[in-house]
Amino acid sequence: MPEPEVLTDMDVAGTDRYVLRKLPEVTLAFWGMKIAATTLGETAGDLFAQTLKLGYFLTTIALFLIFVVTLVVQLRSRRYNPFFYWTVILSTSMAGTTMSDFMNRDASAKFLTDGAKSLGWGPQGLGLGYPTGAAILISLLLAIFVIWKCTGLTFAIRDIVSFRAEVLFWAAILVSNTLGTSMGDFLSDSSGLGYAGGALLVTGLLAVLVALMRVPAVPNVVLFWIAFVLTRPLGATAGDFLTKPLAKGGLDLGTAGSSAVLLAVLIGLMGSAHVQERRTAASQDKTLTGVS
């Protein structure tokens, strides 16, 4: 049986049908919510794994299960819902934080706080290190894109309308957020740039991508995915800058307080996006019914 087509709002001009859009438009507000969600993912992941001392192993399992639940809700939704979409982004950011930490870190003192000798139940981490962990994640991400390419489905977010394309999209998001965490932690911990320096470097790279949008030879789809990966280390370094001790170059605001503030900001942004979505839908309904 052929896969049922999922259509999006008003994306098919000149026809008598319209498509139910499942993913958001890429606007400045989109990137603001992406950075807020990824920063919250960093602070919330560290809250569970480090502050509450559940450890990377247990926290990764718990957060991955949360990701699966939120993904099922998103996939079952018939049209774009900001709360569903950004909840999945947040869950991939939180899971990506602890998955990266579990891959790259170990039980050595530099990864533990307050003189702790262990962190939670189970293995403390695989200790692969940031270069090896990043190489594995880059390989996984490239494999997803190769499979995606072979399906013939589009990479453009506004044109992702089928179940299969959306599953590939979310697989790429999970791996890219995990990769972005590794990049952010490397910049913060191992590069010598520190939290603020790492954030400034990533911000500079994002500015270059914005400039490249004006270059016709560079596809916007490529720039989108590079930016999507780079906003994760920006969130990781920003999250560490908010939560880490003053002695390490952070603001020492704590994981709980920072997570609460970031959650409030993200909920506010999602609420605003939801209101805008309802207004857009109402306008489109009037257009379809001929009501002025």
Side-chain angles (χ1 to χ4, degrees):
M1 179 181 296
E3 183 178 356
E5 184 179 17
V6 181
L7 305 177
T8 79
D9 301 19
M10 301 298 293
D11 279 347
V12 182
T15 68
D16 58 357
R17 61 185 180 134
Y18 68 94
V19 184
L20 291 179
R21 184 165 50 86
K22 293 292 302 293
L23 303 177
E25 295 289 341
V26 180
T27 62
L28 185 61
F30 170 92
W31 292 113
M33 284 189 280
K34 171 62 164 62
I35 293 171
T38 54
T39 306
L40 175 57
E42 179 73 17
T43 60
D46 288 346
L47 171 65
F48 291 116
Q50 299 177 21
T51 305
L52 299 179
K53 293 182 170 56
L54 296 178
Y56 303 128
F57 182 68
L58 285 180
T59 306
T60 294
I61 294 175
L63 293 180
F64 186 81
L65 291 176
I66 291 174
F67 158 69
V68 171
V69 172
T70 59
L71 178 60
V72 169
V73 173
Q74 164 67 21
L75 292 174
R76 289 177 62 85
S77 175
R78 293 189 63 251
R79 63 183 300 162
Y80 170 62
N81 183 302
F83 288 97
F84 294 166
Y85 176 85
W86 290 105
T87 299
V88 186
I89 291 292
L90 176 58
S91 68
T92 61
S93 298
M94 292 192 298
T97 295
T98 54
M99 288 167 62
S100 169
D101 289 343
F102 180 69
M103 289 178 62
N104 299 323
R105 298 182 176 185
D106 53 36
S108 59
K110 65 179 180 178
F111 295 127
L112 301 176
T113 58
D114 302 325
K117 295 182 179 179
S118 64
L119 193 63
W121 179 85
Q124 303 302 301
L126 300 178
L128 299 177
Y130 297 124
T132 302
I136 292 173
L137 291 167
I138 289 172
S139 299
L140 285 174
L141 188 58
L142 290 176
I144 291 172
F145 282 129
V146 168
I147 294 172
W148 197 339
K149 179 69 174 178
C150 290
T151 65
L153 299 168
T154 180
F155 291 106
I157 182 173
R158 73 179 306 276
D159 296 325
I160 293 176
V161 296
S162 69
F163 177 84
R164 182 169 51 175
E166 194 179 357
V167 169
L168 288 167
F169 171 81
W170 287 115
I173 296 302
L174 178 63
V175 176
S176 67
N177 276 335
T178 308
L179 172 61
T181 302
S182 295
M183 294 169 61
D185 288 342
F186 172 77
L187 291 174
S188 299
D189 299 337
S190 304
S191 69
L193 293 174
Y195 307 123
L200 287 174
L201 174 61
V202 177
T203 301
L205 293 174
L206 289 171
V208 172
L209 294 181
V210 172
L212 287 175
M213 290 178 63
R214 300 180 179 275
V215 179
V218 182
N220 282 343
V221 171
V222 174
L223 296 177
F224 168 82
W225 281 105
I226 296 175
F228 208 97
V229 172
L230 285 179
T231 50
R232 184 62 187 100
L234 178 60
T237 52
D240 285 339
F241 180 63
L242 292 172
T243 60
K244 299 303 182 183
L246 295 173
K248 292 186 176 181
L251 296 179
D252 200 18
L253 299 179
T255 55
S258 298
S259 297
V261 172
L262 289 166
L263 180 60
V265 170
L266 183 59
I267 290 175
L269 291 172
M270 288 193 297
S272 177
H274 185 63
V275 171
Q276 182 61 40
E277 180 69 17
R278 289 176 65 89
R279 289 176 178 172
T280 302
S283 176
Q284 291 171 350
D285 288 342
K286 288 182 179 180
T287 301
L288 287 173
T289 57
V291 178
S292 60

